[in-house]
Amino acid sequence: MRSEVAVDEIDCIIKHNRVHVACLTESWLTDSISTDIVNIDGFNCFRRDRCDGRRGGGIVCYVADSLLCHRLKELECTDVESLWLLCRNYRMPRRVSHILIGIIYFPPNGDKLCTVNHIISCLDTITQKHPYCGIMLCGDFNQLNDLPILSYPLKQIVTLATRRHNILDKVFTSIAEWYHTPSILPPIGTSDHNVVLVHAQVSQPHYHPNYGISSFVAVRSTDPSGKTLLAHALSRLNWVSLYKMNDCNDMLNHFYTTVLSLLNYYLPVRMSRKLASEKPWVNDRFRCLVRQRQRAWHQQDMVKYHALRNLVQRTAKKLRSKYYGRCVTSLHAAGPKQWWRAVKRITGQSPKNQLNNLSTDDNYGTVADNINNFFHSVSADLAPLDPSLMPAAIDPVPQEFIIEPYQVEHKLAKLQPHKASGPDNIPNWFWRDFSVWLAEPLCAIFNASIRQGLVPDSWKHANVIPVPKSNPPTSIEKDLRPISLTPTLSKVLESFIGQWILNDLEGKLDHRQYGALKGRSTTHELVDILHHWHTALNNNAAVRVIFVDYAKAFDHVDHSIVIRKLVSLGVSSVLIRWLCSFLLNRQQRVKISDYVSGWLTLNGGMPQGSYLGPLIFLVLINDLTAGCLLHKFVDDTTLSEIIPKGQTSSNMSSLVEDVLHWSQSNLMNINWCKTKELILGSNSAKNFCHELCVDGNVVERVSVYKLLGVIVDDTLKWKSHVNSICAKASKRLHFLKILKRSSLSIGDLLCFYTSAVRPVLEYACPVWHNSLTNEQCQQIESIQRRALKIICGQNYTGYNEICSNLKLSSLVDRRSELCKVFFEKSVLDDNSCLHYLLPPRRLHPAHKFRQLLPYIPEIPKTSRYYHSFIPFAVKNYTSPGLLT
């Protein structure tokens, strides 16, 4: 647009094609050219000229007078040529409040990273203030990498060449379904770029108000034909150019660009309508009956109203019964994930927005920013990773650290398709279904990353989902836990690195660490702790227990300390170098529904939800020891001091001070409000164990504590725990009643009971089952009795008979069997972490007894010890046949 002739030509094009907004790049306008010269009647002219003295460039936008338009100058920066406008008509569709128009000119020699960051930052800023705005981003992008823009997510709708054979002028939008496919017109004036004309649909699709539209969601197509065509296209791809690249960042960008272009072409993202409240079984006849009933009410025809009301109720019951019958029957064959999703929808357990209490004005963009700022502040006091700790590169990389394509394919094929994707927004089913064709290039990228000791930047980004600790949460600081959604490919590579680290750490981790390790669980730790407590009490000793809680443990990990510990444990320098890159300059943003905060760079912490997060934390806490029994389940730490009979003093104060000193030197913060004390044994121990005060913090003494999901009291009796699990299971019986009213079959109801209710009554049962009283056993059994009455209804003939007919064991028998299986697999096995709890093995006897146990049990002095798990199991679950 370098002359008045060009302005006249633009005027003709605009009016001939009934254009409301015209965006132009490379206007070549300067301050010496008045706006009056380039004005067009009926349009407002917004221009941004180059002001650095260079020729060319510049942006102009013409907006029709009929549109309300505001220029967003606060978004403009000197390093990027952009113009941002916020427009709206006097009447807007319900789902969109504004239209954001961004015009970008990216010169051939421009700064790519700066431009992309500017665009994403501007989009984040506006969508936080106006979350319901539609986005139209257009301009001359030349060779700019548009992967981050497409991942926002936006859709690029220009499909024809705009300059020779290339698509340099593009339109990215979040409302692609509103527009026809863009057409290409000849260039204006002396320009060598064609004109892109985007026409809106004549009218937006009209939806009947009874549908109750609440929102639109972006859903990627899963059309089988499209998948077939995509597989064919992937099989024909030549990845030679990727293999020739030297930098893994370039390799990954090339891979993403290629894969995303094919994925968006064959399986595009479309906006799907999400209904607010209408039941899935409602049909047109039912809606018609409801309207007739309402009409009769307004006309005060009460006879007709009552008849229609009864008819509506009968029809609803019939429709609901038929729908759920068909739905659940088909979902059994589809898989447990789909079945549970349907059951949760029926029972009203579908996830709801639980963050309402954190916002006073429903501005979730502001809430997301506030949450992200808090999560970021947790590690703000830590120093970033010391770069001097990064080892030098090793060339060549040892053979054991080279990944083969078949290994990558095996990992991809095992991905769970329903798991959420990370910031790249590529679904897991894509990696799984097309693993055969993607494994080889990904293997090359993985090996390049390991060889260079470099983690691609896009793999260090995470969408953080704030998960409430309480329902509903009332405080950002206390009630939210950050769960990080990282890219799936990053997790796959992490799984290789993590296994190699575990190989290097074999035999070096604390044997009383029971969290995040294969073959260990909360039940293993509880059995171990309770056995030591029971043994001490059997010897007339007392036990003083401190339950240490760390504040924001995963979010306040100092990276430099972790790396030093990994080096001291003998982990390979190849893995150390890669881990340094993995931890350095990680970024996160909080995502709440469709709202996202800005990106923030973290100084420390481990992403909760990643593969390496728990493993690295185990290394951090591995050398935490004390002069007493110390059990760990990841960060949950339990100190147990055995006070022998006759001793009238306790060393717990100095033991906790040792833990405090370790915590301070490792920059971990003890949460004194949640750190508790429990004393087991004689009352005299409670008298001489004075109140514990460490560093000015008083540790509260309690008589009941919930340890890893099991409620323990100072008498080691299980009344409180039994009451708790029965109350929790009783609440779930309510959902069983709802399913019953929805006319589910007995088989489906039984499936829900055995999957959602019964596990609550059996959690960690080896810890407490043998110590239950008959009354407590009956209390638990009554839950199953109530459940069977709900399931069978009028066909309930008696508890024992129904259990026999349904092939259902009593809860007592099931718990006994579970205890026996646990003992055989987790204690008798020589490689088990609990094998050391067994008493000494009996040697060949000089004389024979009719019944001889293979182990020499400790003589029980109390019924409490006799019924604890290990002594009871040794006597009842072993046989003379085990004696060698």
Side-chain angles (χ1 to χ4, degrees), residues 518-531:
K518 186 176 181 181
R520 302 187 175 211
S521 67
T522 55
T523 303
H524 288 80
E525 176 169 338
L526 288 165
V527 167
D528 191 354
I529 292 178
L530 267 294
H531 178 68

Side-chain angles (χ1 to χ4, degrees), residues 449-565:
S449 175
I450 297 169
R451 183 173 62 253
Q452 298 167 19
L454 180 65
V455 178
D457 294 335
S458 61
W459 284 356
K460 295 193 283 186
H461 294 173
N463 286 338
V464 174
I465 308 300
V467 177
K469 298 179 183 178
S470 58
N471 187 19
T474 58
S475 170
I476 292 177
E477 292 76 12
K478 298 179 180 179
D479 298 336
L480 296 179
R481 176 184 291 109
I483 300 300
S484 299
L485 299 180
T486 55
T488 299
L489 296 182
S490 172
K491 293 180 182 178
V492 173
L493 180 53
E494 286 178 56
S495 66
F496 288 105
I497 301 293
Q499 187 56 55
W500 294 334
I501 293 176
L502 280 174
N503 293 340
D504 287 349
L505 295 177
E506 187 174 1
K508 301 176 183 178
L509 293 178
D510 188 349
H511 71 280
R512 288 199 173 98
Q513 170 62 265
Y514 289 93
L517 293 173
K518 186 176 181 181
R520 302 187 175 211
S521 67
T522 55
T523 303
H524 288 80
E525 176 169 338
L526 288 165
V527 167
D528 191 354
I529 292 178
L530 267 294
H531 178 68
H532 284 93
W533 292 354
H534 279 116
T535 302
L537 297 178
N538 189 56
N539 294 323
N540 296 319
V543 184
R544 192 176 190 183
V545 186
I546 301 295
F547 305 102
V548 180
D549 183 88
Y550 283 103
K552 306 292 181 183
F554 270 74
D555 304 323
H556 201 267
V557 174
D558 186 274
H559 294 161
S560 300
I561 293 175
V562 168
I563 293 300
R564 292 190 185 98
K565 292 189 176 185

Side-chain angles (χ1 to χ4, degrees), residues 113-128:
L113 181 61
C114 179
T115 302
V116 169
N117 290 340
H118 169 75
I119 293 172
I120 299 301
S121 175
C122 292
L123 293 177
D124 283 341
T125 301
I126 294 302
T127 53
Q128 289 167 32

Side-chain angles (χ1 to χ4, degrees), residues 541-805:
V543 184
R544 192 176 190 183
V545 186
I546 301 295
F547 305 102
V548 180
D549 183 88
Y550 283 103
K552 306 292 181 183
F554 270 74
D555 304 323
H556 201 267
V557 174
D558 186 274
H559 294 161
S560 300
I561 293 175
V562 168
I563 293 300
R564 292 190 185 98
K565 292 189 176 185
L566 285 166
V567 172
S568 66
L569 289 171
V571 175
S572 170
S573 57
V574 173
L575 305 179
I576 296 291
R577 180 178 176 83
W578 189 92
L579 277 173
C580 287
S581 178
F582 175 79
L583 296 173
L584 194 63
N585 295 326
R586 295 194 66 86
Q587 290 189 313
Q588 71 174 31
R589 66 180 181 185
V590 166
K591 185 175 183 182
I592 304 174
S593 187
D594 295 330
Y595 303 85
V596 292
S597 68
W599 291 101
L600 292 176
T601 302
L602 301 173
N603 289 347
M606 294 305 305
Q608 298 187 52
S610 66
Y611 185 94
L612 287 176
L615 176 58
I616 292 180
F617 189 87
L618 295 190
V619 172
L620 173 67
I621 205 171
N622 186 60
D623 58 351
L624 170 58
T625 57
C628 64
L629 283 172
L630 191 147
H631 293 82
K632 308 169 195 169
F633 192 87
V634 191
D635 62 314
D636 290 330
T637 305
T638 305
L639 281 71
S640 304
E641 180 193 11
I642 309 299
I643 304 175
K645 182 181 179 180
Q647 181 174 319
T648 58
S649 62
S650 168
N651 298 320
M652 184 57 77
S653 179
S654 61
L655 298 174
V656 176
E657 285 182 357
D658 292 342
V659 173
L660 175 62
H661 293 154
W662 178 93
S663 304
Q664 291 173 341
S665 63
N666 287 273
L667 303 181
M668 298 289 290
N669 301 318
I670 296 178
N671 185 350
W672 295 105
C673 293
K674 294 185 178 180
T675 298
K676 306 296 181 183
E677 176 188 15
L678 183 71
I679 296 181
L680 310 172
S682 62
N683 291 328
S684 60
K686 299 179 182 179
N687 294 330
F688 68 74
C689 291
H690 302 293
E691 183 179 64
L692 190 63
C693 182
V694 181
D695 197 28
N697 300 287
V698 177
V699 178
E700 180 186 2
R701 183 175 297 176
V702 296
S703 58
V704 177
Y705 186 81
K706 190 172 185 178
L707 176 62
L708 301 179
V710 172
I711 298 179
V712 181
D713 65 22
D714 55 5
T715 63
L716 292 187
K717 296 182 179 179
W718 303 104
K719 180 179 179 180
S720 298
H721 180 68
V722 170
N723 290 339
S724 175
I725 62 175
C726 288
K728 185 176 180 180
S730 295
K731 293 179 181 179
R732 299 195 178 188
L733 292 182
H734 169 70
F735 301 126
L736 194 62
K737 297 173 184 176
I738 296 176
L739 294 173
K740 178 69 174 180
R741 289 200 295 267
S742 299
S743 302
L744 265 68
S745 67
I746 289 180
D748 293 326
L749 295 173
L750 192 62
C751 179
F752 178 83
Y753 165 72
T754 56
S755 304
V757 180
R758 191 171 66 182
V760 175
L761 304 171
E762 297 175 340
Y763 171 70
C765 63
V767 179
W768 45 267
H769 165 65
N770 299 314
S771 301
L772 295 181
T773 64
N774 290 333
E775 181 182 356
Q776 291 166 349
C777 288
Q778 290 303 315
Q779 184 180 352
I780 298 174
E781 203 75 35
S782 68
I783 301 297
Q784 179 161 291
R785 187 177 288 108
R786 288 172 55 195
L788 294 181
K789 287 181 179 179
I790 295 171
I791 292 172
C792 299
Q794 297 178 351
N795 297 325
Y796 183 81
T797 56
Y799 180 63
N800 294 331
E801 183 178 350
I802 290 296
C803 286
S804 177
N805 293 339

